[in-house]
Amino acid sequence: MRDVKNSVSIVLPIKNGLSYLPALENYFELNLSPNDQLILINDGSDDGSENFLTGWKRRSQNVNLINTKGIGLVTCLNLGVQESVHEWIARFDVDDLYSNNRIEHQYSAITSKAVAIFADYRFIDSNGKNYGRITSPLLPVPTALSLINNLRTAHPCAFYKKTAVIESGGYREEDFLAEDLSLWLRMSRIGEIITVPNLLLNYRISESSTTSVNRNKAISQKNKILKSISLEKSLFYKCLEDIQSIFEYYEKFEESESRKLLLVNDLIAFQSSLKLKKGALFDIMLIALRHLGRSSTISELFQLYFEKSQRGKLRIENVLKI
């Protein structure tokens, strides 16, 4: 258990999340340290969430309850950051599931240069069915490069430094639907974004999730942000230069083949998006052939594409139900 000086603030926005709240209360009862701050922001819920949260506040000394009237996710998140009393903040979402040791894993990874820490996560549906694990890049340069695809730094398990969020300008309303990507891009310019090789989040693809309802808009907003806050081309060439040592580092952890494949995928997306010289794509292909030629890697590649197609199908089904 973390001591007082290692306490964190948790920011949890809630909009009609009553069905998930009892399980969340049990989770935090097990996983909070005495001086952790749990900021629950109830944004105009009309499903009974406010009554439950009021009772939760009475039962827990950790809870700071804020009731707002439909101010929206971005404003709620900035409010949570402002109200945080600790330097490190853990983001949680009401409908997702988390590992019991999530905060400990991320807190133990803090370095002097780190401004944000992420983790591996798994997609699940409303019934808990597994739709694939997304492995994280671990190291600072591959993690920054991965922002080109905005897949491997999941917002619901963000663990970030309050002063870095504020210095970067916080969440911006004009970036909504990709407000997290915008913030990570800006934060990556003042410090290091890293990840831990642990599965800490089960990310629920539900009928009401933003990713299901506004999928196309989110993709369009992502592309717009990537044009306005571009990634440094040096990230690409640094990854190519260090690819051997990066792959060797991945071998120390589980899911190493998936980490390698997703890094190659990020390199291809980076080359395509920024229209780097054609020789860069050839270099990537040589790397893939040299390092990813094993049968186990081919099997992993098919699995990744199959899981991606299944998630796409689930999102379409969810939209049709609305």
Side-chain angles (χ1 to χ4, degrees), residues 213-238:
V213 177
N214 297 301
R215 184 71 177 168
N216 290 335
K217 291 181 181 179
I219 292 172
S220 176
Q221 184 71 303
K222 166 199 153 184
N223 294 332
K224 177 182 176 182
I225 288 169
L226 284 168
K227 287 182 179 179
S228 64
I229 315 174
S230 60
L231 286 160
E232 296 290 335
K233 292 182 180 180
S234 60
L235 291 170
F236 178 87
Y237 295 108
K238 181 63 174 171

Side-chain angles (χ1 to χ4, degrees), residues 4-280:
V4 173
K5 68 178 182 178
N6 296 329
S7 298
V8 303
S9 294
I10 291 97
V11 172
L12 177 57
I14 299 156
K15 178 74 171 183
N16 293 336
L18 180 61
S19 61
Y20 303 107
L21 293 179
L24 269 177
E25 183 177 9
N26 290 335
Y27 174 87
F28 285 116
E29 185 177 350
L30 291 171
N31 291 283
L32 289 184
S33 293
N35 287 86
D36 286 341
Q37 176 193 26
L38 178 55
I39 304 170
L40 305 175
I41 307 171
N42 173 44
D43 191 29
S45 297
D46 57 11
D47 66 342
S49 290
E50 184 174 346
N51 288 336
F52 185 95
L53 294 169
T54 300
W56 187 352
K57 178 177 172 60
R58 287 197 301 266
R59 294 186 290 270
S60 174
Q61 64 178 4
N62 301 86
V63 169
N64 176 12
L65 176 60
I66 302 172
N67 288 304
T68 58
K69 298 185 180 298
I71 60 177
L73 177 61
V74 171
T75 305
C76 283
L77 291 171
N78 283 327
L79 178 60
V81 171
Q82 292 166 11
E83 292 295 318
S84 298
V85 298
H86 301 299
E87 176 68 335
W88 283 89
I89 300 171
R91 270 278 289 115
F92 279 77
D93 271 351
V94 66
D95 59 342
D96 293 324
L97 302 175
Y98 295 88
S99 163
N100 281 335
N101 52 7
R102 178 210 156 170
I103 294 175
E104 276 64 30
H105 274 302
Q106 290 177 292
Y107 197 98
S108 66
I110 293 173
T111 67
S112 60
K113 295 181 179 180
V115 293
I117 302 169
F118 295 86
D120 290 11
Y121 68 98
R122 178 192 292 129
F123 285 105
I124 60 172
D125 66 11
S126 57
N127 297 314
K129 180 181 175 181
N130 179 13
Y131 277 78
R133 176 172 175 168
I134 303 299
T135 53
S136 54
L138 306 183
L139 299 166
V141 172
T143 302
L145 181 86
S146 76
L147 297 177
I148 196 72
N149 279 319
N150 195 30
L151 176 66
R152 307 175 73 188
T153 49
H155 197 186
C157 72
F159 185 75
Y160 45 50
K161 197 173 183 179
K162 176 178 179 177
T163 50
V165 174
I166 293 172
E167 182 182 343
S168 301
Y171 293 95
R172 304 192 306 199
E173 191 67 50
E174 62 268 29
D175 297 328
F176 178 62
L177 295 180
E179 70 284 343
D180 54 336
L181 172 62
S182 172
L183 181 56
W184 311 155
L185 286 166
R186 286 178 277 122
M187 290 179 72
S188 71
R189 295 183 172 182
I190 66 171
E192 292 183 347
I193 298 177
I194 59 176
T195 67
V196 294
N198 309 99
L199 181 61
L200 303 184
L201 163 69
N202 285 296
Y203 194 148
R204 198 189 306 265
I205 305 175
S206 64
E207 294 178 23
S208 59
S209 66
T210 300
T211 51
S212 290
V213 177
N214 297 301
R215 184 71 177 168
N216 290 335
K217 291 181 181 179
I219 292 172
S220 176
Q221 184 71 303
K222 166 199 153 184
N223 294 332
K224 177 182 176 182
I225 288 169
L226 284 168
K227 287 182 179 179
S228 64
I229 315 174
S230 60
L231 286 160
E232 296 290 335
K233 292 182 180 180
S234 60
L235 291 170
F236 178 87
Y237 295 108
K238 181 63 174 171
C239 265
L240 284 184
E241 179 184 340
D242 296 341
I243 197 76
Q244 179 68 39
S245 60
I246 293 171
F247 281 1
E248 289 175 357
Y249 183 73
Y250 286 171
E251 290 288 351
K252 300 177 183 179
F253 306 100
E254 62 178 359
E255 304 289 341
S256 62
E257 297 304 302
S258 172
R259 295 184 205 283
K260 294 174 187 177
L261 283 166
L262 289 177
L263 175 53
V264 170
N265 186 54
D266 291 335
L267 284 167
I268 292 171
F270 202 107
Q271 188 276 338
S272 175
S273 175
L274 298 187
K275 297 180 174 59
L276 301 178
K277 61 181 182 180
K278 293 181 180 179

